[in-house]
């Protein structure tokens, strides 16, 4: 269990890493959760000004890249952001 601080609208598991979950938390942005014995937030994206609505991982990763490209969108303002989820 982990409180992301907003109503959860979207969940997307990482395509290659079953321990990472991308969460759209409506009025509290997007978060990447590390799901193991304990759940912890490894990254957040708070630049949307409207409801955090859609999210997905880019499945075409550059060979040797340590982070994943993520696409997120918000509802009322019709904005799409593409950002990197740093892998620790």
């Amino acid at each position: 269990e982990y409180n992301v601080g907003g109503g959860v609208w979207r969940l997307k598991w990482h395509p290659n890493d079953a321990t990472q979950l991308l969460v759209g938390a409506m009025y509290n942005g997007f978060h990447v959760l590390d799901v193991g014995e304990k759940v912890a937030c490894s990254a957040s994206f708070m630049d949307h000004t409207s409801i955090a609505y859609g999210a997905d991982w880019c499945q075409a990763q550059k060979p040797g890249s340590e982070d994943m490209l993520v696409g997120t969108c918000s509802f009322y303002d019709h904005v799409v952001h593409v950002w990197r989820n740093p892998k620790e």
Side-chain angles (χ1 to χ4, degrees):
E1 183 173 317
Y2 189 88
N3 184 345
V4 292
V8 174
W9 184 264
R10 182 77 61 217
L11 297 173
K12 282 300 267 197
W13 287 103
H14 188 287
N16 303 316
D17 184 349
T19 67
Q20 292 206 336
L21 181 61
L22 178 57
V23 179
M26 293 181 70
Y27 291 104
N28 198 38
F30 292 91
H31 309 279
V32 177
L33 301 183
D34 288 325
V35 181
E37 288 183 31
K38 293 186 176 185
V39 179
C41 183
S42 64
S44 295
F45 187 81
M46 306 299 284
D47 289 356
H48 286 281
T49 59
S50 180
I51 295 174
Y53 186 72
D56 206 349
W57 301 91
C58 176
Q59 300 201 19
Q61 184 177 354
K62 194 178 208 179
S65 178
E66 291 296 316
D67 52 295
M68 288 289 293
L69 199 58
V70 176
T72 55
C73 62
S74 46
F75 191 76
Y76 293 114
D77 59 359
H78 313 152
V79 173
V80 172
H81 285 277
V82 178
W83 50 283
R84 293 206 175 271
N85 169 45
K87 187 111 173 167
E88 300 189 323

